[in-house]
Amino acid sequence: KLVLSFTLIIISSLTPLVLSAQQQQSILPEISYLYVEKLIAAARENYPRIKSLTSQVEVAKQDLNAAKISWLDPFSFQYVGRNNQSQTPPVVNVTNNDILTGYQFGVSFNPGTLLAKPSNIKKAKEQINVAKFTKEEYLLTLETEVKRRYFSYLQAQKALVPFNSSLLDAETNFNATKIAFQKAEVTIAQYNSASTTYYSAVQAKLQAEMAFLSSKALLEELTVKKLEEIK
């Protein structure tokens, strides 16, 4: 019974450590899909490429309106003013054949331009569809990229935890070894080993922090806002 009780105590003591280690091995518990939707909404609203594609849709709509109201383009209106009244009495100018005097009006018609109008209007409508589909396609790409960068951000954030623990352990071991070395209780090789382990842990943590900050910056590139501002 004593052995059984002692075993249960050990298992109970190790259980929180095991659970903590398992949590550090996965980012799934950290994912907030509600926050992901907020990130996507911020990217849709602020990312310059989306604004550019929206403007292209509006330009295509304006081109369609212009095509619809340009039915008079095939027609050309002209007028000429001729006046021989400056002579008294009025005479016909036989030099330049200006037989008629006063204002003369003329209308010319280009049937080819008129026949092309329905095709131009249809083309303008298709340009609107192309602009809309291009925007919709990019929205899907943007959504996927926001999710990918968010998951990378969580991964980099999660990776900091073991590096912090490793650095703390290495620092504690180095300080203890340093004191022991000063008391001549350990060899120079043991001291150098502890020192190397400590400074390696420092470099590893710095690299992990750089990866975390880089992933955060890449995500904020899409949202165009600091993550702290997106609640």
Side-chain angles (χ1 to χ4, degrees):
K1 293 183 179 179
L2 180 60
V3 174
L4 179 59
S5 300
F6 182 71
T7 303
L8 291 175
I9 292 174
I10 294 177
I11 294 175
S12 300
S13 301
L14 292 178
T15 299
L17 297 177
V18 173
L19 292 176
S20 177
Q22 290 177 345
Q23 290 175 353
Q24 292 180 6
Q25 294 174 359
S26 175
I27 65 171
L28 295 180
E30 307 296 329
I31 296 176
S32 171
Y33 288 99
L34 176 60
Y35 190 63
V36 171
E37 293 302 322
K38 292 181 179 180
L39 294 175
I40 294 173
R44 284 171 172 257
E45 179 181 359
N46 301 315
Y47 197 59
R49 177 63 175 164
I50 299 299
K51 296 179 180 180
S52 175
L53 293 174
T54 301
S55 297
Q56 291 181 15
V57 174
E58 294 303 319
V59 169
K61 290 180 179 180
Q62 293 176 8
D63 290 342
L64 175 60
N65 292 333
K68 288 181 177 180
I69 64 176
S70 59
W71 283 100
L72 294 179
D73 287 353
F75 299 92
S76 176
F77 299 90
Q78 300 175 345
Y79 76 92
V80 177
R82 303 185 186 280
N83 187 4
N84 291 331
Q85 301 300 323
S86 59
Q87 303 182 21
T88 305
V91 296
V92 176
N93 189 339
V94 296
T95 303
N96 54 19
N97 297 325
D98 287 342
I99 300 176
L100 300 178
T101 61
Y103 291 99
Q104 302 175 26
F105 297 90
V107 178
S108 62
F109 170 66
N110 188 337
T113 304
L114 181 63
L115 294 176
K117 294 302 296 181
S119 176
N120 292 337
I121 292 177
K122 182 178 180 180
K123 181 179 179 181
K125 291 181 179 180
E126 291 301 322
Q127 289 295 337
I128 293 178
N129 291 333
V130 170
K132 287 182 177 179
F133 294 150
T134 301
K135 179 181 177 181
E136 291 173 1
E137 179 184 12
Y138 190 78
L139 285 174
L140 294 175
T141 301
L142 180 64
E143 179 178 343
T144 301
E145 187 63 18
V146 168
K147 291 180 180 179
R148 187 186 69 81
R149 296 190 186 188
Y150 172 68
F151 297 148
S152 297
Y153 166 76
L154 288 183
Q155 181 186 30
Q157 186 181 52
K158 199 75 171 179
L160 279 175
V161 177
F163 284 108
N164 289 332
S165 300
S166 298
L167 177 59
L168 181 60
D169 293 340
E171 183 178 12
T172 301
N173 180 63
F174 172 69
N175 291 333
T177 304
K178 182 179 180 180
I179 294 174
F181 177 72
Q182 292 173 347
K183 295 180 180 180
E185 295 176 354
V186 297
T187 64
I188 184 65
Q190 291 174 315
Y191 173 78
N192 289 338
S193 177
S195 176
T196 301
T197 301
Y198 170 65
Y199 288 109
S200 296
V202 171
Q203 291 299 320
K205 181 186 177 183
L206 291 176
Q207 292 177 359
E209 289 177 342
M210 177 62 69
F212 169 71
L213 293 176
S214 297
S215 63
K216 183 174 183 290
L218 288 174
L219 182 55
E220 291 175 343
E221 178 186 8
L222 299 180
T223 60
V224 198
K225 293 177 65 176
K226 297 294 184 182
L227 298 185
E228 294 79 8
E229 299 176 4
I230 303 176
K231 304 298 183 180

